[in-house]
Amino acid sequence: MAAACLAAQRSKDPSTQVGAVIVNETDNKIVGTGYNGMPAGLDDQFPWKRDGEEPLKKKYIYVTHGELNAIMNKSSADVKGCTMYVTLFPCNECAKLIIQSGIRKVIYLSNKYEKSNETQAAKRMFDEAEVKTEQFKTTCSEILINFHECLQ
Ligand SMILES: O=c1[nH]c(=O)n([C@H]2C[C@H](O)[C@@H](COP(=O)(O)O)O2)cc1CO
Ligand SMILES: [Zn+2]
């Protein structure tokens, strides 16, 4: 989950940064990472606005979700049987991708949109498809990365 949080920090979304890391079934090796961002090459021309009347002037219609990027970036042949660590409970569209890609477990950090239709639909699809969902629990509140120590 720390790796997912680190990936999230690369997102340019000023409001919600979502990171996702996929690990394989056999030895928990990372086989894909991603974060929410505009499709490749479009970064500077598209809005990060979340509010307003016009959908074309808001981020939602354009942004690629962290989960999709993690699956697209996979380094293995496929992600069947894998687990995804993701900093936010996936939406319905990501749930479809996760299910269809063969990922069997989703460990999430935040569920701040729990009451939304998208989250409820996602949960329903995961349950029906028997993809396990579990909130990440830890007693560790932070991981400090010290570049100077890493240099030694
Ligand atoms: O499954 C998801 N994955 C994901 O990457 N996101 C991204 C899309 C947006 O850039 C951001 C949500 O923005 P906001 O919290 O401002 O509505 O999170 C959002 C969801 C849905 O919760
Ligand atoms: Zn999504």
Side-chain angles (χ1 to χ4, degrees), residues 57-147:
K57 294 192 174 158
K58 293 189 287 184
K59 64 182 172 182
Y60 297 104
I61 215 160
Y62 308 109
V63 71
T64 306
H65 286 192
E67 300 93 318
L68 182 147
N69 278 332
I71 295 170
M72 291 297 293
N73 289 338
K74 70 183 186 303
S75 57
S76 51
D78 61 55
V79 290
K80 290 191 187 359
C82 288
T83 293
M84 176 182 279
Y85 287 84
V86 60
T87 59
L88 179 63
F89 196 97
C91 71
N92 59 313
E93 293 300 330
C94 290
K96 294 178 210 175
L97 281 168
I98 289 166
I99 293 166
Q100 294 300 73
S101 70
I103 289 172
R104 300 303 297 158
K105 190 170 179 181
V106 174
I107 301 177
Y108 61 94
L109 192 58
S110 160
N111 197 2
K112 65 175 176 173
Y113 296 130
E114 191 174 3
K115 302 239 153 51
S116 72
N117 288 333
E118 288 82 358
T119 305
Q120 287 188 32
K123 177 77 175 107
R124 190 173 164 194
M125 288 190 276
F126 284 142
D127 289 348
E128 192 67 25
E130 295 180 356
V131 172
K132 290 196 193 92
T133 56
E134 180 185 304
Q135 189 156 34
F136 182 73
K137 297 275 179 247
T138 179
T139 51
C140 168
S141 65
E142 67 171 2
I143 291 179
L144 184 68
I145 298 172
N146 186 321
F147 287 116

Side-chain angles (χ1 to χ4, degrees), residues 19-81:
V21 167
I22 303 167
V23 298
N24 68 12
E25 195 180 10
T26 38
D27 42 12
N28 276 329
K29 272 194 183 148
I30 293 177
V31 294
T33 73
Y35 55 89
N36 54 327
M38 292 300 163
L42 310 185
D43 280 13
D44 298 325
Q45 310 147 42
F46 289 82
W48 279 112
K49 244 162 61 93
R50 70 194 299 274
D51 302 308
E53 291 294 303
E54 295 174 71
L56 292 178
K57 294 192 174 158
K58 293 189 287 184
K59 64 182 172 182
Y60 297 104
I61 215 160
Y62 308 109
V63 71
T64 306
H65 286 192
E67 300 93 318
L68 182 147
N69 278 332
I71 295 170
M72 291 297 293
N73 289 338
K74 70 183 186 303
S75 57
S76 51
D78 61 55
V79 290
K80 290 191 187 359

